[in-house]
Amino acid sequence: MSDPKAALAQALARLRERLPDVSDEALARRASAVVLPSGRRVAVNARRLGEWVGGQSVPRDFDVVLAVAMATGGVPKLTELRDLWRAAHRDRRATPKSGRVVVGRPPSDAAALRDRPDLADAIDTALREPDLRQVLLTGPGGVGKSQLATAAFHRAGADVLVWVGARTRQSVLTGYARAWRALAKAADADEETQADLFLAWLRSTTTSWLVVLDDVHDPTELSGLWPAGDGRTLITTQRRDASLLRPDARVVTVGMFTAAEATGYLSARLSVDPRHDPADLAALADALGRFPLALSQAAAFLIDSGTDVPTYLDLLADRRRRVADLFPPTSPADDHHDTVAGTVRLAVERAGALAADARDVLGLISVLAPDGIPESLLAGHLPALRALHRLNLVTHHGRVEAHALVQRAARDLLPDLAPPAVKAADAIAREWSTADPDTAAALYRNAEVLRTVAGEHLWTGGMHPVLRRLGQYLAEVGRPAAAREVAAELLALATDPRDVIALRTQVAKAIGDLGDPRTALTHFTEIRATAERTLGPADEDTLWARFHQATYRLETGLIEQALAELTSLIDSCDLPAAHPLRVVAEDDRVLCLGLSGDLTAARAAAEDLVGTLSRELGPRHKQTLRALLGLGRWIGETGDAPTAVATFQQAVDGLEAVAGRGHHDTFIARHNLAYWRAEAGDLPRAITEFATATADAERALGETHPTTLTYRSNLVFWQGMAGDPEALHDLTALRHEVERTFGPHHPRALRTRQQRAHLLHRAGHTDEAVEELRAVLAEMSAVQGANHPRTREAADLLAGWETT
């Protein structure tokens, strides 16, 4: 061929065509990683690779050509390729123009650039759509929007490619003017005129073009400067304003790295420093929330400072350190103009221009849960919330989400953390009183985060009421160990006598719920005495201590004493009939009546309680529906199993409608419905109900949650009673899970052993069943007392076996 440079370009193009689905960036990285026969490596730049393949320039070093050849599969005629390169390199004629015009300087590739194929495909697909004119890459600052745009810019096949920094109106005018001078070869007008000429050319030309507007700060500043015509515009911005969301625009949301991308980035970036243990990198990626800019800055800091990953993780965990200290500008990110702290600060300033209270609202958000803040906690701040959303500082779609590092940087901007902390606590406490189960779970999560990041500000003048809610919520959803842990942590900080009483109550109740009612009773005897002395006998917290003391008398088998105490409590307390304390005291008094043997009185008292609550609260109120559970039991205990089934069905239907199928009360109602179906002789439907209750509990709480394990055990037991030959084996396996979760002497573990003995006896293993039940009965007597209903039930069962 008469043109050596064109001949080399054709040869390189044929090599490039071997990997049509691999980007120039990826191919350049492959080539840079190739070890040549000489033992050396060479750096291959993606942009220069495009110029070589396009015939716009010639590599200065043949080793670069060889690296590209080896990265694409090698060449059979190396000498021929070397001769082509030599001829092209020696050719002194000017390189023929390709007809393409490329203006502007995209950012350099990151030091450990990650392929993000899903996002790249989304961008390329949108750029090819015939009806689209704009592709909008939007996301928080520092997530890699410009890197993705750079890769798309290099992949583009348009004849005119223009990269424009778009932070200000002037920077856009300058970029357009530069493009016009490259196209028209003229500079006889001011920049604004040249920009107008360029925009007019875009509108009228049939030449294919792509304009990238990188980092648009304020869409309103670009009024009259948006490219129009048959080409395409690629925009990167933190904004998601209505003016950008056009019918002819495709939005590609750019978020955080995936776990694999984040760990892969750190692994590649820190490969230059062999001190770092690869096993620590996933923990670092998670600690940084997989935030690309933070990962880049952290990696640079580790390299520059000589800090190892475990030490840096300790620094991150220290809330006293500012984000600016964790990501210092002295260790800059890959070609990024700002730090994590600086990016957040600038975005907050721009949000403040849209809503005056945006900074204050972000301060409130900064002390709450990053993964879901109920919108109701931010009531009255919608304009500010939308401003923060438009700047990608938060995401607002029914609930509010924010990246944890953005929150931390926002906290650093606050002069005093106490006001937003108290305001957030007040909002959570206000919403919790009427929350449905899903909202209550979200409020608990937000309260826990608040306690972690700003808990010291919630003790002025005593413990904030929202902190008392934490242990109560955990106990309500069946997590007594977690409730005890939280209450104990708070108790260590409490000094006000009322706070101490309330938290000691939560600790003692959790001890009882975990299967040690005797110790719980001892605690409540002490708590009651202290409360009566410091708060007074009529104080509500004192009355709650009396109630729990009576409850654990019942749990230890002291039924008559518990009945007397509950009756005295109800008669002496000056509380409304529907007050929660009075309702639970009445409910437990009914239980004591029934367990003491007066089934008729228990049923009558339960009917009175349901009637009172129906009048005071309504028949569909959750308290009324819960009271139906006690009524259903005593209806059944008096020998009317069909009416018990109907009563429990009413409770299930009502609780499912009011509280939801996944609520703890609904589990209990459905589980008890299953029991009375079994007692009524309808085993097939009973087992179906047991299975439903178990599945609902497992879905909401997890497979090994105590409530779920209880339901699983009962399901398997009744399957065995219905004749399932595998039930005995399944219950034996479950026994080990139950004992691991509850402990071997917990009443639930003992109950499971009793059920297993029952199935052994039913299967004909009489001696083994009797021996097992004797051992269980001895432990029940020691743990619960000989008069406890479960102990008496086991004793009656054993007596029946021994007399047959």
Side-chain angles (χ1 to χ4, degrees):
M1 181 177 288
S2 58
D3 186 344
K5 292 179 179 177
L8 176 62
Q10 285 188 10
L12 291 173
R14 286 193 295 271
L15 294 175
R16 182 70 183 86
E17 288 168 0
R18 295 175 176 175
L19 301 173
D21 297 325
V22 175
S23 67
D24 282 355
E25 290 80 12
L27 178 54
R29 288 196 299 274
R30 289 190 189 185
S32 300
V34 167
V35 178
L36 299 173
S38 63
R40 67 183 288 236
R41 289 190 177 94
V42 293
V44 179
N45 181 277
R47 242 166 293 167
R48 300 292 291 171
L49 175 62
E51 292 176 1
W52 301 332
V53 173
Q56 296 169 355
S57 64
V58 175
R60 294 184 179 180
D61 188 343
F62 178 73
D63 279 353
V64 175
V65 179
L66 181 57
V68 173
M70 293 176 69
T72 57
V75 287
K77 298 180 180 178
L78 183 60
T79 302
E80 183 177 317
L81 183 62
R82 188 190 302 273
D83 290 341
L84 285 174
W85 170 78
R86 282 176 176 161
H89 195 257
R90 290 170 182 165
D91 187 5
R92 298 299 180 184
R93 290 175 295 177
T95 301
K97 297 296 180 185
S98 65
R100 299 185 88 200
V101 175
V102 181
V103 181
R105 296 187 181 90
S108 302
D109 291 344
L113 186 68
R114 292 290 92 193
D115 288 328
R116 304 176 80 173
D118 291 344
L119 289 171
D121 289 346
I123 295 167
D124 290 347
T125 299
L127 288 173
R128 290 193 297 267
E129 289 282 345
D131 297 331
L132 296 180
R133 291 293 176 265
Q134 291 185 357
V135 179
L136 181 71
L137 305 188
T138 182
V143 294
K145 300 182 296 295
S146 295
Q147 287 285 329
L148 287 163
T150 297
F153 186 81
H154 295 318
R155 289 194 302 269
D159 292 325
V160 174
L161 300 171
V162 180
W163 184 281
V164 178
R167 279 193 155 195
T168 65
R169 183 178 183 86
Q170 184 55 54
S171 65
V172 174
L173 289 171
T174 299
Y176 286 175
R178 185 180 299 123
W180 178 248
R181 291 194 296 271
L183 285 167
K185 313 297 184 192
D188 54 356
D190 60 72
E191 277 195 346
E192 191 149 347
T193 301
Q194 291 172 350
D196 289 343
L197 291 169
F198 174 65
L199 287 169
W201 180 84
L202 293 178
R203 282 184 175 275
S204 59
T205 186
T206 58
T207 303
S208 60
W209 55 265
L210 171 67
V211 174
V212 177
L213 297 175
D214 183 42
D215 200 11
V216 173
H217 274 200
D218 185 353
T220 61
E221 284 199 4
L222 271 60
S223 177
L225 296 182
W226 297 105
D230 289 335
R232 299 291 183 273
T233 306
L234 181 59
I235 302 165
T236 73
T237 181
Q238 291 187 50
R239 304 291 286 260
R240 39 188 170 188
D241 297 47
S243 60
L244 293 170
L245 307 178
R246 301 157 38 123
D248 62 349
R250 173 70 53 78
V251 177
V252 177
T253 301
V254 182
M256 305 302 152
F257 278 154
T258 65
E261 288 169 346
T263 306
Y265 172 85
L266 288 174
S267 180
R269 186 71 181 93
L270 295 175
S271 62
V272 299
D273 189 346
R275 294 179 306 109
H276 299 298
D277 186 346
D280 295 329
L281 301 186
L284 178 56
D286 287 341
L288 295 174
R290 305 194 296 274
F291 192 164
L293 176 58
L295 293 167
S296 178
Q297 275 197 270
F301 178 75
L302 291 174
I303 294 169
D304 290 343
S305 66
T307 304
D308 60 24
V309 173
T311 301
Y312 188 70
L313 287 170
D314 290 340
L315 295 177
L316 283 173
D318 184 354
R319 290 196 295 112
R320 295 168 298 179
R321 294 187 177 274
R322 297 172 60 86
V323 171
D325 300 327
L326 297 169
F327 308 104
T330 52
S331 295
D334 295 308
D335 211 27
H336 199 280
H337 54 260
D338 218 334
T339 63
V340 172
T343 296
V344 173
R345 185 184 64 255
L346 290 172
V348 171
E349 290 173 359
R350 294 199 292 275
L354 300 175
D357 60 340
R359 183 188 292 266
D360 293 339
V361 174
L362 185 61
L364 189 59
I365 291 169
S366 74
V367 297
L368 295 171
D371 50 355
I373 303 168
E375 189 180 45
S376 57
L377 294 184
L378 304 168
H381 297 290
L382 184 60
L385 193 55
R386 295 309 298 175
L388 296 170
H389 174 85
R390 287 164 66 182
L391 268 299
N392 262 296
L393 285 164
V394 306
T395 296
H396 173 221
H397 291 301
R399 66 177 186 171
V400 180
E401 297 176 349
H403 193 279
L405 276 180
V406 171
Q407 290 178 301
R408 186 165 181 171
R411 290 197 295 272
D412 289 345
L413 298 175
L414 296 171
D416 184 1
L417 198 57
V422 173
K423 187 174 181 180
D426 290 344
I428 294 171
R430 180 186 67 244
E431 294 299 315
W432 216 328
S433 60
T434 58
D436 59 62
D438 290 340
T439 303
L443 293 174
Y444 168 76
R445 165 71 176 147
N446 278 269
E448 265 297 311
V449 171
L450 174 61
R451 183 168 78 99
T452 300
V453 302
E456 65 270 23
H457 299 295
L458 304 181
W459 290 89
T460 303
M463 181 175 70
H464 193 285
V466 79
L467 296 177
R468 187 187 285 206
R469 286 273 189 180
L470 297 174
Q472 291 173 344
Y473 172 78
L474 291 168
E476 287 169 2
V477 297
R479 297 177 59 191
R484 180 178 62 180
E485 182 179 347
V486 167
E489 289 172 1
L490 295 173
L491 183 58
L493 302 172
T495 56
D496 182 89
R498 182 175 301 282
D499 296 337
V500 172
I501 294 296
L503 294 169
R504 286 183 65 192
T505 295
Q506 291 185 9
V507 171
K509 186 175 182 303
I511 290 171
D513 291 345
L514 286 166
D516 190 356
R518 293 183 183 279
T519 301
L521 177 58
T522 300
H523 278 287
F524 276 116
T525 301
E526 297 171 357
I527 293 168
R528 175 183 174 177
T530 303
E532 289 180 340
R533 185 172 61 252
T534 58
L535 304 179
D539 185 88
E540 190 171 319
D541 283 327
T542 304
L543 296 176
W544 276 110
R546 284 183 65 185
F547 165 73
H548 290 304
Q549 181 188 28
T551 295
Y552 284 104
R553 290 197 202 282
L554 170 61
E555 288 295 321
T556 53
L558 303 174
I559 298 171
E560 287 75 14
Q561 288 179 264
L563 176 59
E565 177 60 36
L566 288 166
T567 302
S568 172
L569 172 61
I570 292 165
D571 291 343
S572 63
C573 73
D574 186 20
L575 295 173
H579 188 282
L581 172 56
R582 184 160 189 147
V583 171
V584 293
E586 290 275 14
D587 197 42
D588 273 14
R589 190 179 75 87
V590 171
L591 180 61
C592 288
L593 284 169
L595 296 179
S596 66
D598 195 346
L599 302 180
T600 302
R603 177 172 178 170
E607 288 171 344
D608 288 344
L609 178 58
V610 171
T612 298
L613 294 177
S614 295
R615 287 191 301 274
E616 296 287 332
L617 303 175
R620 301 285 285 179
H621 192 278
K622 189 162 67 173
Q623 288 275 41
T624 308
L625 294 167
R626 289 179 65 178
L628 283 175
L629 305 185
L631 176 57
R633 174 177 181 175
W634 299 114
I635 289 173
E637 295 288 356
T638 54
D640 191 355
T643 305
V645 168
T647 304
F648 277 110
Q649 186 67 65
Q650 180 184 350
V652 168
D653 294 341
L655 286 167
E656 192 168 298
V658 172
R661 178 171 172 173
H663 193 273
H664 200 250
D665 289 340
T666 313
F667 298 161
I668 296 171
R670 193 182 301 279
H671 180 266
N672 291 355
L673 170 62
Y675 173 81
W676 284 104
R677 282 202 195 282
E679 289 295 317
D682 190 355
L683 276 182
R685 290 186 68 187
I687 289 170
T688 299
E689 291 286 356
F690 275 121
T692 301
T694 302
D696 288 348
E698 185 172 322
R699 189 160 40 247
L701 304 174
E703 187 176 351
T704 58
H705 187 276
T707 299
T708 309
L709 282 174
T710 297
Y711 291 2
R712 288 172 62 195
S713 299
N714 290 342
L715 169 62
V716 172
F717 171 73
W718 283 103
Q719 286 172 333
M721 294 300 289
D724 185 345
E726 298 297 322
L728 179 58
H729 174 269
D730 293 342
L731 192 60
T732 301
L734 261 176
R735 170 188 170 181
H736 300 302
E737 283 192 65
V738 169
E739 290 182 351
R740 277 197 303 271
T741 300
F742 291 92
H745 306 297
H746 188 280
R748 178 64 252 175
L750 298 177
R751 176 67 171 170
T752 302
R753 288 173 59 191
Q754 177 187 335
Q755 290 174 327
R756 180 176 177 275
H758 203 144
L759 293 185
L760 281 168
H761 192 273
R762 190 178 187 283
H765 306 293
T766 305
D767 292 343
E768 184 181 352
V770 169
E771 182 180 351
E772 174 69 4
L773 191 54
R774 280 177 182 161
V776 170
L777 180 58
E779 290 193 49
M780 282 183 169
S781 298
V783 172
Q784 301 170 161
N787 198 38
H788 192 278
R790 291 293 188 199
T791 308
R792 294 206 308 260
E793 178 188 317
D796 291 344
L797 184 63
L798 180 62
W801 291 353
E802 290 177 332
T803 58
T804 57

